Amino acid sequence: MAKSVLSLLTGFALEHGVLSNLEDTIDKYDARLKGKPLGAITIRQALNMSSGVDICHWLCGAPNNFERFELHGFLGHPKHRGKNTDQDAVIINWPYGFKSQPGTSFNYSHVDPQLISMAIRAATKMSIAQFMERGLWKEIGAEADAVWLTDAAGAEDVSSSLLACMRDWGRLGLLVAQNGFIGGRRVISDSWFHECRTLRTDEGFLRKGKIAGYDQGYKFYFHHPRDDGAWLRFGGDLGQSIYTDSKSGTCLVILSASNRGGQDYRGLFETRSEEHTSELQS
């Protein structure tokens, strides 16, 4: 679910001028990518998992993500877990090229969020943890410290390695469900959530029913269980999820693991959020 938090940090960064424009290329911020193949990918393309990078993590054929990114990026060899890992170096020296034109198709990968991380870290001269603490964690009134796991070089694994207590995950969920408000205060502009919920004409490949083998839509590191964008879901492994509903302003946090992928919770949240919406309307 860390990628959805990275989306919130990206919205905060744009609102406060850390990042200028969604159409900016990553190498505008991280000079190490100048002249490198992945440097020309835009922030929007990376947020939409549409960089076109030749890697397969999910829904794209035989997986090669471990060999091409995770082994040298942040997991390391099982006998020497994490040793000599460096996500930025893998991105900068990417030797595999592209499997599709950037911005034209969905391909879930850990490369795309790492590109966003590189842009934010270069622009702020902070780690993602530092930027999150100042721009988000204090603002939501978090009750406990969070932890980012990192590679050997100290860069956070922004794809999957954020640890937080359940109530603070709930605060993040409420922030999304209430379009940037929490505790009566605005933390992130509602324009960011409009971006997350709305698909442009050229983003039709992200629409629900358009991603082969997947029954939800996707945009800016949020899953779209519904066509109208009212629900945004943080998606974790083995059913870990935060369901958020902008119509009822509610969220449901699931941190337990399930081989069923948490589908039972989806039905439960649909029932409860509709009941709450009816109560608000009456």
Side-chain angles (χ1 to χ4, degrees):
M1 301 190 292
K3 288 183 286 294
S4 300
V5 179
L6 181 63
S7 178
L8 298 177
L9 291 174
T10 306
F12 187 87
L14 283 161
E15 184 175 350
H16 291 274
V18 172
L19 303 177
S20 302
N21 195 296
L22 288 170
E23 314 312 326
D24 286 342
T25 56
I26 304 299
D27 63 9
K28 174 179 177 178
Y29 301 96
D30 194 328
R32 296 175 299 171
L33 283 166
K34 290 287 186 183
K36 301 293 185 177
L38 304 195
I41 295 166
T42 68
I43 293 171
R44 180 181 294 277
Q45 290 164 355
L47 285 168
N48 280 337
M49 293 290 193
S50 65
S51 67
V53 169
D54 190 356
I55 191 169
C56 180
H57 181 91
W58 177 54
L59 301 175
C60 50
N64 55 29
N65 56 297
F66 180 75
E67 292 81 2
R68 295 192 174 187
F69 184 75
E70 294 175 1
L71 175 63
H72 303 291
F74 62 90
L75 285 179
H77 192 279
K79 291 184 179 179
H80 306 283
R81 181 63 71 204
K83 185 178 181 180
N84 298 323
T85 51
D86 189 333
Q87 298 170 96
D88 290 359
V90 174
I91 297 291
I92 293 167
N93 300 306
W94 187 256
Y96 305 106
F98 296 82
K99 65 187 298 183
S100 62
Q101 181 71 24
T104 62
S105 62
F106 175 85
N107 181 28
Y108 187 94
S109 81
H110 287 176
V111 170
D112 293 38
Q114 186 64 20
L115 287 165
I116 299 295
S117 168
M118 292 173 75
I120 291 176
R121 285 185 281 119
T124 61
K125 304 296 189 291
M126 298 180 191
S127 68
I128 291 296
Q130 289 170 327
F131 184 62
M132 179 172 167
E133 181 179 12
R134 297 186 186 187
L136 189 59
W137 215 239
K138 291 180 179 178
E139 294 294 322
I140 67 170
E143 69 179 50
D145 288 343
V147 174
W148 281 100
L149 303 185
T150 74
D151 60 21
E156 294 85 352
D157 169 21
V158 292
S159 291
S160 59
S161 299
L162 174 62
L163 314 178
C165 70
M166 175 170 275
R167 289 181 182 273
D168 287 336
W169 281 116
R171 288 177 171 89
L172 291 169
L174 286 175
L175 183 69
V176 175
Q178 297 172 10
N179 291 312
F181 272 98
I182 189 167
R185 296 184 303 109
R186 178 166 292 287
V187 176
I188 299 174
S189 168
D190 59 356
S191 63
W192 180 249
F193 296 97
H194 177 75
E195 279 276 7
C196 292
R197 299 180 191 281
T198 307
L199 295 176
R200 306 190 318 178
T201 303
D202 60 351
E203 294 171 332
F205 58 88
L206 300 170
R207 202 172 294 280
K208 189 175 184 291
K210 294 294 185 179
I211 300 174
Y214 191 53
D215 68 347
Q216 298 182 34
Y218 197 90
K219 187 176 178 183
F220 288 9
Y221 305 149
F222 285 105
H223 301 262
H224 284 213
R226 290 186 168 183
D227 290 317
D228 61 3
W231 282 24
L232 295 180
R233 182 176 73 86
F234 298 59
D237 197 16
L238 292 176
Q240 290 184 331
S241 294
I242 303 176
Y243 285 91
T244 73
D245 178 23
S246 62
K247 292 182 178 179
S248 64
T250 59
C251 71
L252 173 65
V253 181
I254 305 121
L255 298 184
S256 56
S258 167
N259 288 328
R260 288 173 52 84
Q263 292 300 311
D264 296 340
Y265 291 110
R266 182 171 169 176
L268 172 65
F269 184 62
E270 185 163 23
T271 301
R272 294 301 299 150
S273 61
E274 287 178 353
E275 289 176 357
H276 190 72
T277 300
S278 299
E279 291 171 1
L280 290 173
Q281 291 172 344
S282 61

